[in-house]
Amino acid sequence: MPRVRGRAGCGRREGDRGEADELLLRVAGGDQYAFEQLYGLVSGPVYGLVRRVVRDPAQSEEVSQEVLLELWRSAAKFDPGRGSALSWILTLAHRRAVDRVRSARAAGEREQREAQRAEGPAFDHVAEEVEAGLEREWVRRCLDRLTALQRQSVTLAYYEGYTYREVAERLSLPLGTVKTRMRDGLTRLRECLGGAA
């Protein structure tokens, strides 16, 4: 038997095309037996086309069944003057398969957006601000426990960004004296802040 090459035939015989046209016209009239025969004739090519588009076997089976159900319901829309029944059926299948792919993609993107929205910030801004405020207050209290000279040296170095040498110049003190005040002040701060933890 001669085989038809190309996608439209999907390996079917020439006679199958004419047979599909005839069967589809009978299905349009409500002939269930004709639908059974048409189903057997086109279910393979429909599934093959859908499988190439959708790729997932389970989804492909579902889409193929939807196409064949649509075929039963809308057979009267087939116009033999515009093309073969098999071409019309495969067009329905392709459209339905593309719709499924687009729908799945849109659902995936929607889920991804929702997941990102649900994640939100990794921390509670209010709690972070309260905690930072408490830490600042604790540091202020510890700074208040330092001597005036220690507090002044530490403040210039750590809050205003001066180097030890610049602190010494600014306070008109020897560099060694500033380093000693800083070391003693930082030791007292560490002890005081150690109690905060």
Side-chain angles (χ1 to χ4, degrees), residues 52-72:
R52 280 192 301 274
V53 174
V54 176
R55 305 213 175 176
D56 178 71
Q59 290 286 324
S60 298
E61 289 176 13
E62 188 176 315
V63 171
S64 296
Q65 290 300 315
E66 290 173 6
V67 168
L68 293 166
L69 181 61
E70 181 180 352
L71 181 61
W72 170 255

Side-chain angles (χ1 to χ4, degrees), residues 78-135:
F78 171 64
D79 179 4
R82 297 186 68 196
S84 72
L86 190 57
S87 295
W88 185 73
I89 294 166
L90 291 178
T91 299
L92 291 176
H94 186 263
R95 287 178 182 163
R96 183 64 67 109
V98 168
D99 288 346
R100 177 61 62 98
V101 170
R102 287 178 180 158
S103 175
R105 186 175 299 141
E109 290 170 359
R110 202 170 32 252
E111 288 174 10
Q112 188 176 15
R113 282 192 306 271
E114 285 300 316
Q116 288 172 344
R117 216 174 308 172
E119 280 180 16
F123 56 90
D124 183 355
H125 287 288
V126 174
E128 288 290 320
E129 289 179 27
V130 168
E131 190 172 323
L134 292 173
E135 287 174 359

Side-chain angles (χ1 to χ4, degrees), residues 11-84:
R12 295 289 179 174
R13 293 172 287 140
E14 280 293 340
D16 289 349
R17 286 185 178 186
E19 184 181 354
D21 289 358
E22 182 184 318
L23 289 171
L24 188 54
L25 292 172
R26 288 175 41 204
V27 169
D31 186 338
Q32 290 182 355
Y33 179 71
F35 181 72
E36 288 177 29
Q37 290 179 308
L38 184 62
Y39 184 98
L41 189 65
V42 300
S43 61
V46 165
Y47 177 77
L49 175 65
V50 170
R51 179 81 161 85
R52 280 192 301 274
V53 174
V54 176
R55 305 213 175 176
D56 178 71
Q59 290 286 324
S60 298
E61 289 176 13
E62 188 176 315
V63 171
S64 296
Q65 290 300 315
E66 290 173 6
V67 168
L68 293 166
L69 181 61
E70 181 180 352
L71 181 61
W72 170 255
R73 292 178 178 161
S74 63
K77 294 179 182 177
F78 171 64
D79 179 4
R82 297 186 68 196
S84 72

